[in-house]
Amino acid sequence: KLMAQNEVELYLVFSRIRSMEAADLRQRNQALATRCLNFASGVLDLCEQFPAGAVPRAIALQVSRSAGSIGANLEEAFGSYSRPEFAYCTNIAKREAREARYWLRLVSLRRWNLDERLAPLLTESDELVRILTVIVKKVQAPKPPSEL
């Protein structure tokens, strides 16, 4: 009977730990989703400062689409049904972050006097690429036998 009671206590401890881990994961997911949303909003604000013309308009469309797709694909990943689906959607978000970074770098070469607004967005795009790369690598790594 003592063994059964210890097993129940151990189960309750593990349940609490899992619950705390799930809450922590939800908080981290929400923080990342908020960063992506703020990044996309900052890119849209930047695009509104582009000079008039066909080239700035084309670049604005590209950078705004890729920046907005980061968070959209991440939200889809958070709603995924399986680990491979999560990895797939997160990998798309990572690729969109890389694309947004490319377009922002191109904007910096155009010399449109937007450096003050552009610098933090370039930094954030680098950080988002790094964060998403780590997530994809962790998710795609084989699970240890204890987690199967």
Side-chain angles (χ1 to χ4, degrees), residues 34-93:
T34 299
R35 277 184 81 165
C36 291
L37 184 65
N38 290 337
F39 175 72
S41 180
V43 167
L44 292 175
D45 290 342
L46 176 75
C47 290
E48 289 177 342
Q49 302 302 312
F50 286 4
V55 170
R57 188 171 46 252
I59 293 172
L61 286 172
Q62 291 286 41
V63 70
S64 62
R65 285 180 182 152
S66 58
S69 290
I70 300 166
N73 281 292
L74 200 56
E75 286 293 335
E76 192 170 328
F78 294 153
S80 63
Y81 292 106
S82 66
R83 190 175 178 99
E85 183 183 3
F86 178 83
Y88 176 78
C89 292
T90 306
N91 199 35
I92 292 172

Side-chain angles (χ1 to χ4, degrees), residues 133-145:
T133 299
V134 168
I135 292 171
V136 169
K137 284 183 179 180
K138 281 186 177 182
V139 172
Q140 289 179 337
K143 289 177 82 172

Side-chain angles (χ1 to χ4, degrees), residues 12-13 20 57 82 90 109 111 119 122:
L12 291 174
V13 167
M20 289 175 8
R57 188 171 46 252
S82 66
T90 306
L109 295 175
R111 303 192 203 298
L122 281 166

Side-chain angles (χ1 to χ4, degrees), residues 1-141:
K1 186 171 184 175
L2 182 60
M3 183 67 155
Q5 185 179 2
N6 286 344
E7 288 177 7
V8 168
E9 288 175 6
L10 189 60
Y11 173 78
L12 291 174
V13 167
F14 280 126
S15 294
R16 275 186 247 133
I17 290 171
R18 281 198 177 128
S19 176
M20 289 175 8
E21 288 173 349
D24 183 50
L25 182 61
R26 280 190 299 275
Q27 274 185 318
R28 284 185 284 155
N29 287 352
Q30 186 58 46
L32 182 56
T34 299
R35 277 184 81 165
C36 291
L37 184 65
N38 290 337
F39 175 72
S41 180
V43 167
L44 292 175
D45 290 342
L46 176 75
C47 290
E48 289 177 342
Q49 302 302 312
F50 286 4
V55 170
R57 188 171 46 252
I59 293 172
L61 286 172
Q62 291 286 41
V63 70
S64 62
R65 285 180 182 152
S66 58
S69 290
I70 300 166
N73 281 292
L74 200 56
E75 286 293 335
E76 192 170 328
F78 294 153
S80 63
Y81 292 106
S82 66
R83 190 175 178 99
E85 183 183 3
F86 178 83
Y88 176 78
C89 292
T90 306
N91 199 35
I92 292 172
K94 179 188 79 170
R95 291 194 327 238
E96 294 293 341
R98 292 177 63 88
E99 181 180 344
R101 181 176 61 184
Y102 170 83
W103 289 111
L104 290 171
R105 288 172 59 209
L106 181 61
V107 169
S108 73
L109 295 175
R110 299 302 301 174
R111 303 192 203 298
W112 291 335
N113 296 321
L114 299 168
D115 292 342
E116 193 173 297
R117 288 180 177 241
L118 189 57
L121 292 171
L122 281 166
T123 300
E124 183 67 359
S125 68
D126 284 338
E127 290 178 11
L128 289 173
V129 168
R130 288 186 186 117
I131 290 167
L132 294 168
T133 299
V134 168
I135 292 171
V136 169
K137 284 183 179 180
K138 281 186 177 182
V139 172
Q140 289 179 337

